[in-house]
Amino acid sequence: MTAAHRSNSARQMTGGQALAEMLQLAGVGPMFGMGGFQLLPFYEACRVLGLKHALVNDERCGAFAADAYAKVTNRPGVVDATLGPGATNLVTGLVESLNAGIPSIAIIGDANREHAWKNMTQEARQLEILRPVVKEAIRVEVLKRIPEHVRRAFAVATSGRPGPVLIDVPEDIAHGEHDFDAADFWIDQGTVRAQARRSRPGASDVERAAALLAKAERPLILAGGGVHISEAHGALLRLAEAQGIPVAHTMSGKGAIACTHPLSAGLFGRYDRIANALVAQSDCLIVIGCKLGEIATKRFQLIPAGTPVIHIEIDPTEIGRTTRTEVGLVGDARLALEDLSTALGNGNAAAGRRAGYAAEIPRRMADWRRSAADRLESSETPINVGRLMGELNKAMPADGVVVADGGFAAHWGGLMFDTKAAGRHFLPDRGFASIGYGVPGGIGAQLGAGPARRVVSLTGDGGFNMSLGELETARRLGANFVVCVFNNAASGYVKALQHSVYGQGAYQSSDLVELDYAAIARGFGCLGIRVTDPEKLAAALREGLANTSSPTVIDVVVTRDPSRMLPAADNRTLKVEKGDRPV
């Protein structure tokens, strides 16, 4: 390299600096992490460059926050951790992103290679532990390859079925220096958000699917979270309206079309409003971006044998994995729906033929709402969670976001919350269904949505206990979302299951101490509101949504009766078959 060339294009920097510069080029949003010596140069570079980096109180929560940020923005969330316990604490959050197809980048420090495997402090076989829970693991062995590795990480995270990518950075790589060529620092802007590298299904497969759908009298669309990843909402709505096809959704697929749309058949699977009956009566099912797993299929029993299934899926290995498929369309959901619409042509005749069928949907939904009034409008105390859902439906703005923790929050929210617009306005952690997602998920969602949009997080007291320390993080970051705690002084889902399987009074390790979470929230400098009267729920939600100067915790004292804790099953009359999971 000549002196002139060196002065014009060579840049000496540490590995940590190179990593930060590449993330800046990728336009990453707020990063979440907890540092250590191994990644100190990366942290210093973030400070100098002005990148937004947030200290979290637990690395698992950092991964959850990154996941929720990515769900709202379709841009990879970024989380980092030091070696050993920092890295291994990421496992649960990364599995959530992997199973849900959510793009994220996880950066971990590792031991100095000169001394590795000589009982270095906190050293572990972390790469072996984390490799199964990410889409790809990249170990940086050569400092000068950092720009290349970061480009690879974004390309893998956002293309195909998106997912988390791990970058493992040894201490000597992060602290070491190299004369980089300025030309090395570039990013492919086509890979900085999902869905990257879109692909279309085969034309002959599309024609087969169109022919099958054209003759169907009662077709039904089953939409999963892949609709959101692909941003296929417009293409889906055009097909549904043009062809007169109702749309049901999974928990992750809620908002594929607005829940208030006349063609919305609501949730299907383990819990449903009207959709399961429609599945049983359908003569053609169009599955879009859904893995047809246990919850969606009621443990693989929902889809009738012999009903033709058209499965649109980016991952070809999912087609036919759980359910016999007549036609598999491998490719991006939005492009596949556009091609299918083109192949079907003008849908006036089909829509007219199905007009009576389509008209059934709002009538059936109205009947369901009347049947659910005992929960949505309940005046009982302790409060019925359904009443909270009813008030939330009234209070949430159309552009708002509801985050649902695992367990009860996802069950009640998935069944009873209504999105008012298409898009990912409901964020459950259904990839892994871990509890503890509510608070960090609320942080990531609020930062991703921006301060002008309101975020409400739903969590049980058990899940809240696991992550309430992140209220400090939320306050520090100005992530001023609202969290509603279902306070039943129990690990409620487990207690309800014990009641269903073993009977009244047969409860083991499922009770919690009664806590005043509003008072705890005030101790964190947040707004805390405790609600014991259902008639005061609406005012509490209005106050929380109006408060944009701090996070808000609404402590909702809900039923303690394990026979009444589930959203759509009365445990007192529930019959449990041996070996079956009752709810």
Side-chain angles (χ1 to χ4, degrees):
M1 181 181 294
T2 66
H5 186 204
R6 181 183 179 89
S7 63
N8 289 332
S9 65
R11 301 179 60 198
Q12 186 179 76
M13 62 179 72
T14 66
Q17 286 177 282
L19 189 58
E21 293 244 358
M22 287 299 297
L23 294 177
Q24 184 181 51
L25 288 172
V28 298
M31 298 176 282
F32 307 92
M34 185 182 296
F37 178 72
Q38 289 71 27
L39 292 178
L40 278 186
F42 169 66
Y43 272 59
E44 171 63 7
C46 289
R47 182 190 70 81
V48 171
L49 292 172
L51 294 178
K52 294 180 180 178
H53 187 285
L55 170 66
V56 293
N57 289 298
D58 183 275
E59 294 90 351
R60 183 185 64 133
C61 291
F64 281 155
D67 177 87
Y69 174 86
K71 283 182 171 128
V72 169
T73 65
N74 264 4
R75 300 180 70 90
V78 180
V79 62
D80 66 79
T82 190
L83 88 165
T88 59
N89 277 348
L90 296 176
V91 169
T92 299
L94 292 178
V95 177
E96 169 61 36
S97 297
L98 181 69
N99 288 0
I102 302 302
S104 66
I105 308 291
I107 301 165
I108 59 172
D110 208 337
N112 188 309
R113 292 175 299 169
E114 183 177 349
H115 304 296
W117 305 118
K118 294 195 297 187
N119 295 320
M120 294 288 284
T121 302
Q122 296 186 313
E123 190 174 24
R125 295 191 178 276
Q126 60 187 40
L127 202 57
E128 296 172 35
I129 293 168
L130 291 170
R131 197 182 299 276
V133 304
V134 294
K135 190 176 177 186
E136 185 167 310
I138 300 171
R139 163 90 167 179
V140 184
E141 296 284 4
V142 180
L143 200 161
K144 69 178 181 180
R145 295 185 66 186
I146 284 177
E148 169 201 341
H149 288 322
V150 174
R151 284 192 293 272
R152 170 72 181 175
F154 275 87
V156 173
T158 59
S159 62
R161 186 167 190 267
V165 175
L166 178 71
I167 303 177
D168 182 273
V169 186
E171 173 190 305
D172 53 304
I173 292 287
H175 287 256
E177 294 185 340
H178 177 68
D179 287 341
F180 287 92
D181 190 320
D184 290 338
F185 288 84
W186 60 275
I187 197 80
D188 184 341
Q189 292 298 322
T191 64
V192 298
R193 71 190 314 273
Q195 182 69 49
R197 308 291 191 240
R198 295 176 186 265
S199 59
R200 308 192 99 95
S204 61
D205 292 329
V206 172
E207 291 296 335
R208 288 173 57 218
L212 191 62
L213 184 56
K215 65 182 182 182
E217 298 298 323
R218 298 180 66 88
L220 178 66
I221 292 170
L222 304 179
V227 172
H228 297 308
I229 297 167
S230 173
E231 296 178 329
H233 315 100
L236 172 58
L237 184 62
R238 286 189 291 274
L239 175 69
E241 289 183 336
Q243 300 292 328
I245 306 175
V247 180
H249 60 77
T250 62
M251 289 188 198
S252 296
K254 183 185 284 288
I257 67 171
C259 293
T260 51
H261 192 282
L263 287 174
S264 174
L267 187 67
F268 71 93
R270 177 166 289 160
Y271 293 115
D272 84 307
R273 299 181 180 184
I274 64 173
N276 288 1
L278 293 172
V279 170
Q281 297 161 3
S282 176
D283 57 356
C284 183
L285 297 170
I286 308 99
V287 181
I288 307 171
C290 172
K291 295 180 291 185
L292 292 176
E294 177 194 6
I295 302 296
T297 60
K298 295 192 72 173
R299 191 161 280 192
F300 317 109
Q301 296 180 18
L302 177 65
I303 310 298
T307 301
V309 173
I310 300 167
H311 196 166
I312 298 172
E313 175 59 50
I314 193 73
D315 182 355
T317 66
E318 292 293 346
I319 295 175
R321 182 177 180 182
T322 72
T323 305
R324 181 170 179 172
T325 302
E326 190 78 14
V327 182
L329 299 182
V330 180
D332 172 67
R334 190 176 79 196
L335 298 185
L337 287 168
E338 290 173 353
D339 289 353
L340 188 57
S341 290
T342 299
L344 285 165
N346 188 312
N348 291 341
R353 194 174 76 245
R354 298 174 186 138
Y357 169 47
E360 291 178 21
I361 308 307
R363 289 199 300 267
R364 289 192 181 201
M365 193 64 79
D367 289 342
W368 174 83
R369 291 188 188 281
R370 283 189 287 271
S371 73
D374 63 324
R375 288 153 282 162
L376 291 168
E377 302 170 13
S378 171
S379 59
E380 67 187 74
T381 55
I383 295 169
N384 189 303
V385 179
R387 176 64 182 272
L388 173 59
M389 294 299 103
E391 297 297 344
L392 193 63
N393 282 333
K394 299 173 188 174
M396 283 300 290
D399 68 347
V401 176
V402 170
V403 176
D405 207 332
F408 277 172
H411 299 165
W412 282 94
L415 180 63
M416 295 193 164
F417 175 67
D418 288 325
T419 62
K420 301 178 176 71
R424 208 193 284 266
H425 298 283
F426 181 72
L427 272 65
D429 63 325
R430 297 312 296 177
F432 208 29
S434 167
I435 63 171
Y437 187 90
V439 175
I443 293 172
Q446 187 67 75
L447 294 177
R453 295 173 63 191
R454 300 303 289 135
V455 172
V456 174
S457 185
L458 308 176
T459 183
D461 42 6
F464 190 62
N465 288 345
M466 295 174 74
S467 56
L468 64 84
E470 300 301 337
L471 286 178
E472 184 275 333
T473 308
R475 182 184 166 197
R476 175 165 32 88
L477 298 180
N480 298 323
F481 68 104
V482 179
V483 56
C484 296
V485 182
F486 302 175
N487 186 341
N488 56 18
S491 179
Y493 185 50
V494 173
K495 193 168 186 178
L497 290 175
Q498 289 172 340
H499 187 93
S500 297
V501 177
Y502 300 111
Q504 186 172 354
Y507 313 126
Q508 173 62 47
S509 302
S510 56
D511 289 310
L512 299 170
V513 171
E514 176 80 41
L515 295 175
D516 184 338
Y517 292 107
I520 292 171
R522 289 191 287 272
F524 277 93
C526 303
L527 174 62
I529 307 170
R530 187 171 173 88
V531 184
T532 59
D533 180 353
E535 301 306 320
K536 296 182 178 179
L537 276 172
L541 285 169
R542 284 196 299 271
E543 184 178 359
L545 289 168
N547 175 37
T548 57
S549 59
S550 74
T552 298
V553 174
I554 303 178
D555 181 12
V556 185
V557 179
V558 300
T559 183
R560 267 69 175 157
D561 182 353
S563 70
R564 297 172 59 79
M565 287 180 175
L566 299 171
D570 188 335
N571 298 43
R572 293 166 294 185
T573 60
L574 185 66
K575 182 179 179 182
V576 181
E577 301 294 336
K578 185 176 180 180
D580 190 25
R581 183 173 179 174
V583 286

